[in-house]
Amino acid sequence: MSGPAELLSFHSTSPHFKTVIELRRLAAPQSVVEDEFDVDADHYLLRDADGPRIAMRVGRAARGYLDCEEFYPAHVMANRNVVCSAGRLVKNPAIKADVAAVRGFLLQIRREQVEQGVRLDVINVWNPMVPYYTPLGYQLVCGTAFTHPRLGTPSRVMFLAFEEYASGIKRCRTERACRRGQFGCEEAHTEVDAGEVVSHGALSLHCT
């Protein structure tokens, strides 16, 4: 990373949002770069002397409907004030961003969201991306295989939570199979007790 990095936090009305749109366009030229869920979200952009590096948005359930919320566990969504949904993570393809840089970016965002009262991040993930999010601390929610209503892509629900909010969420006991793309794992699961969640500080990082 060239020089000190700066993390910007803003809404879609900010001029910085144009940079986010451009990063999305560069990272995935064939995808839709903007949607209705951008309006109420918090947007984050990491930049340094080389230019914009990483961007992501975080939707807050307290502000409105989340992308694919109809597939999220109802008992979790009942407490909307503590739920967020991070998404649209993109990296500048012209600038190398290693895993450590992405982890640091996500950790800074997580801390800011926690300060605002967020305790649970629930996301929808395209199946081939499940192995990418797992090392970042996200866990699969069992029985949540679905087809994304707008994109038509096979997807799963994943979560990252504080221990007290993980109780009662079904996570995959057969997650290794899920990582290999074998997603027919809805049968062999049990309820997860909060005490079983492996945590680093207050945030759960592993599915054992």
Side-chain angles (χ1 to χ4, degrees):
M1 193 173 288
S2 179
E6 179 184 20
L7 179 66
L8 302 177
S9 174
F10 50 89
H11 295 127
S12 60
T13 54
S14 167
H16 295 302
F17 185 61
K18 294 180 180 179
T19 303
V20 172
I21 295 301
E22 184 57 28
L23 273 184
R24 291 178 183 175
R25 186 173 288 113
L26 288 171
Q30 305 303 318
S31 68
V32 177
V33 297
E34 187 175 2
D35 59 42
E36 65 270 28
F37 300 103
D38 285 320
V39 176
D40 293 324
D42 296 323
H43 294 271
Y44 296 89
L45 176 67
L46 185 70
R47 66 181 184 183
D48 60 15
D50 292 330
R53 301 178 64 88
I54 314 171
M56 191 174 77
R57 77 177 178 200
V58 179
R60 295 286 298 277
R63 297 179 189 160
Y65 194 79
L66 300 176
D67 186 19
C68 294
E69 180 180 320
E70 63 269 32
F71 301 103
Y72 297 169
H75 73 283
V76 171
M77 297 308 300
N79 196 354
R80 304 186 69 86
N81 288 333
V82 302
V83 177
C84 77
S85 185
R88 301 305 295 259
L89 175 64
V90 292
K91 298 182 292 183
N92 188 338
I95 303 176
K96 183 178 180 180
D98 56 24
V99 174
V102 175
R103 284 182 181 273
F105 173 71
L106 295 177
L107 182 57
Q108 290 183 73
I109 294 173
R110 195 176 301 162
R111 286 171 176 164
E112 181 173 310
Q113 289 294 319
V114 166
E115 289 174 358
Q116 298 176 23
V118 170
R119 294 295 181 269
L120 181 66
D121 184 12
V122 186
I123 63 175
N124 63 85
V125 181
W126 181 37
N127 283 358
M129 293 299 292
V130 167
Y132 179 84
Y133 280 95
T134 301
L136 296 176
Y138 289 88
Q139 303 178 57
L140 284 163
V141 180
C142 294
T144 58
F146 69 97
T147 299
H148 196 289
R150 297 193 321 279
L151 305 178
T153 51
S155 304
R156 294 295 297 270
V157 177
M158 302 187 78
F159 77 99
L160 180 63
F162 276 90
E163 293 185 14
E164 61 267 32
Y165 282 93
S167 182
I169 298 177
K170 289 184 179 181
R171 73 181 179 192
C172 281
R173 295 295 189 185
T174 54
E175 189 168 352
R176 290 183 181 178
C178 292
R179 292 176 189 173
R180 295 195 300 268
Q182 300 169 7
F183 295 99
C185 62
E186 275 66 27
E187 298 303 322
H189 304 107
T190 58
E191 294 287 341
V192 176
D193 182 82
E196 294 183 84
V197 178
V198 180
S199 64
H200 177 71
L203 294 172
S204 61
L205 294 179
H206 304 285
C207 179
T208 55

